């Protein structure tokens, strides 16, 4: 009798930096995913501040990650103890260290919680290119609002919300105030540099995105070398080289946001031109068949020169079509 095969299971909770990569690696990178940390009891019992920020808005590659962090107003000194600052101003090693400590240190886990939504490149591209377009700003706001709702549903006692703005801060703040009228809401530019709770959200988002790229699994290129695509920013030489490797028919793998002009320009230069029949294209649309098949509507209407014989069922029963009574 053979021995049992030990199956590797994904970590149920992210309680350290080491658990982050394996957790992300088990997710479908073509879809969004949301992760919410354990909610400290203090965050349920006492009024809390909540910060919102994102990472990866500008790159042509990889997910955009929205993050929130929350802690009681009475425990704001914890944020200073952990050394929160704008994640973009910290080295990757420092961000990883802070993320690890906020999930390990007792004084942090007893008063600080966080959540992220990783928005896949696939979702971003389809949202921006569909017929009823959804801008990146709308995608961003929807994610932020969804995470705040998730915190409320998890039992977080929110009193104040601080958000790093997307677009004009006044309009964004008014929008959030309409949705969450009971909260004190502040939307500002560079909020991650001004409010430590937003910095905490920024680090959760940035570290999650960094590790999402590290464990990215290519369905289209199974033999792709690890991190052969660089940072994802258009000015990165490694990213430029990666974008030069275009499949002439299918274009880029799902890692690439094909709604970005950088990706579109690369496709225009190398990939084959594609034409798709569209029912709304105009007069010639009626004569076209989508993907070589006949249109279903053909069987429900006769052309002007066609006289169709009525079905036998109706003829045998002498049934006639009545327009007026």
């Amino acid at each position: 009798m053979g021995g049992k095969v030990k199956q590797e299971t994904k970590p149920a909770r992210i309680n350290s930096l080491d658990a982050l990569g394996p957790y992300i690696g088990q997710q479908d990178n073509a879809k969004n995913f949301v992760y919410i940390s354990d909610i400290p009891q203090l965050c349920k019992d006492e009024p809390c501040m909540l910060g919102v920020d994102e990472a990866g808005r500008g790159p042509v590659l990889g997910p955009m990650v929205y993050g929130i962090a929350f802690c009681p107003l009475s425990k704001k000194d914890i944020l200073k103890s952990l050394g929160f600052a704008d994640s973009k101003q910290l080295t990757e090693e420092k961000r990883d260290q802070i993320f690890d400590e906020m999930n390990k240190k007792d004084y942090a886990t007893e008063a600080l919680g966080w959540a992220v939504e990783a928005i896949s490149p696939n979702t971003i591209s389809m949202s921006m290119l569909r017929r009823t377009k959804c801008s990146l700003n709308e995608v961003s706001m929807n994610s932020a609002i969804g995470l705040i709702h998730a915190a409320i549903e998890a039992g977080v006692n929110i009193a104040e919300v601080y958000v790093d703005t997307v677009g004009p801060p006044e309009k964004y703040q008014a929008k959030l105030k309409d949705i969450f009228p009971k909260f004190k809401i502040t939307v500002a530019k560079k909020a991650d540099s001004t409010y430590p709770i937003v910095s905490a959200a920024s680090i959760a988002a940035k570290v999650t995105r960094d590790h999402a790229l590290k464990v990215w699994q290519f369905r289209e290129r199974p033999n792709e070398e690890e991190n052969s695509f660089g940072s994802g920013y258009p000015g990165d030489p490694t990213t430029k080289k990666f974008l030069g490797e275009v499949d002439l028919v299918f274009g880029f793998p799902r890692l690439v946001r094909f709604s970005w002009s950088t990706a579109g320009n690369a496709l225009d230069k190398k990939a084959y031109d594609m034409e798709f029949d569209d029912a709304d294209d105009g007069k010639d649309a009626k004569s076209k068949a989508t993907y070589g098949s006949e249109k279903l509507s053909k069987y429900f209407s006769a052309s002007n020169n066609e006289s169709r014989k009525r079905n036998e069922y109706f003829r045998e029963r002498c049934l006639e079509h009545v327009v007026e009574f």
Side-chain angles (χ1 to χ4, degrees):
M1 293 179 65
K4 292 184 178 179
V5 177
K6 185 179 180 181
Q7 294 184 343
E8 185 177 344
T9 57
K10 66 181 179 181
R13 308 303 297 163
I14 298 172
N15 52 20
S16 68
L17 180 68
D18 291 338
L20 179 62
Y23 183 91
I24 297 173
Q26 293 293 327
Q27 310 303 314
D28 183 348
N29 59 28
K31 300 177 181 178
N32 300 357
F33 76 83
V34 175
Y35 177 84
I36 304 174
S37 74
D38 293 330
I39 310 298
Q41 189 60 42
L42 276 176
C43 292
K44 297 180 180 181
D45 296 339
E46 297 187 17
C48 291
M49 63 178 76
L50 181 147
V52 183
D53 199 10
E54 54 77 26
R57 180 179 171 84
V60 68
L61 306 177
M64 176 172 67
V65 179
Y66 253 81
I68 62 171
F70 43 87
C71 78
L73 295 171
S74 64
K75 297 291 184 180
K76 59 184 178 182
D77 288 344
I78 289 175
L79 303 175
K80 294 181 180 178
S81 299
L82 286 167
F84 285 119
D86 179 8
S87 67
K88 302 176 187 67
Q89 303 301 321
L90 301 173
T91 63
E92 181 178 351
E93 291 75 19
K94 186 61 176 177
R95 288 194 299 266
D96 285 352
Q97 178 191 333
I98 295 175
F99 181 87
D100 198 42
E101 290 178 353
M102 66 187 276
N103 286 283
K104 278 186 175 179
K105 299 286 187 181
D106 288 341
Y107 72 86
T109 58
E110 290 172 359
L112 178 65
W114 59 278
V116 291
E117 180 180 23
I119 306 168
S120 74
N122 205 43
T123 298
I124 293 171
S125 297
M126 290 192 296
S127 297
M128 296 177 68
L129 294 177
R130 67 189 186 189
R131 287 186 178 226
T132 306
K133 298 185 185 303
C134 182
S135 70
L136 190 63
N137 280 1
E138 290 177 282
V139 173
S140 300
M141 292 178 185
N142 290 341
S143 180
I145 292 166
L147 285 173
I148 296 172
H149 276 303
I152 295 170
E153 291 172 6
V156 180
N157 183 9
I158 302 172
E160 301 177 4
V161 176
Y162 299 88
V163 184
D164 193 42
T165 193
V166 172
E170 299 80 10
K171 290 184 178 180
Y172 194 5
Q173 183 166 308
K175 179 183 179 75
L176 292 177
K177 194 65 180 176
D178 285 342
I179 300 172
F180 306 107
K182 296 182 179 180
F183 303 156
K184 175 188 173 183
I185 295 177
T186 302
V187 179
K189 297 179 180 179
K190 305 293 184 182
D192 47 354
S193 302
T194 308
Y195 304 101
I197 193 64
V198 179
S199 302
S202 178
I203 284 178
K206 181 62 176 172
V207 173
T208 299
R209 174 178 154 82
D210 288 345
H211 285 261
L213 291 176
K214 288 180 180 179
V215 300
W216 188 273
Q217 298 177 18
F218 286 89
R219 298 181 182 183
E220 310 88 348
R221 302 177 184 177
N223 297 321
E224 187 74 34
E225 295 180 7
E226 184 178 341
N227 197 12
S228 60
F229 41 81
S231 65
Y233 286 93
D236 185 332
T238 305
T239 299
K240 285 183 178 179
K241 181 181 177 183
F242 180 83
L243 292 175
E245 300 170 358
V246 178
D247 185 291
L248 298 182
V249 176
F250 298 105
F252 295 115
R254 287 179 174 177
L255 175 68
V256 179
R257 303 177 190 178
F258 48 86
S259 55
W260 256 233
S261 60
T262 307
N265 292 338
L267 290 174
D268 288 341
K269 290 178 181 177
K270 292 190 175 182
Y272 294 137
D273 290 334
M274 299 290 173
E275 292 184 7
F276 297 93
D277 290 339
D278 192 323
D280 297 328
D281 278 347
K283 297 179 180 179
D284 296 334
K286 293 182 179 180
S287 63
K288 294 181 180 179
T290 306
Y291 301 114
S293 62
E294 294 180 321
K295 293 183 179 179
L296 187 62
S297 57
K298 173 182 176 181
Y299 298 95
F300 295 94
S301 61
S303 65
N304 295 333
N305 297 324
E306 180 182 1
S307 178
R308 293 190 300 176
K309 192 174 183 179
R310 300 186 74 232
N311 187 281
E312 184 178 358
Y313 176 88
F314 297 100
R315 287 187 285 110
E316 288 179 350
R317 291 163 178 76
C318 301
L319 297 175
E320 296 292 338
H321 180 63
V322 177
V323 178
E324 296 179 357
F325 291 97

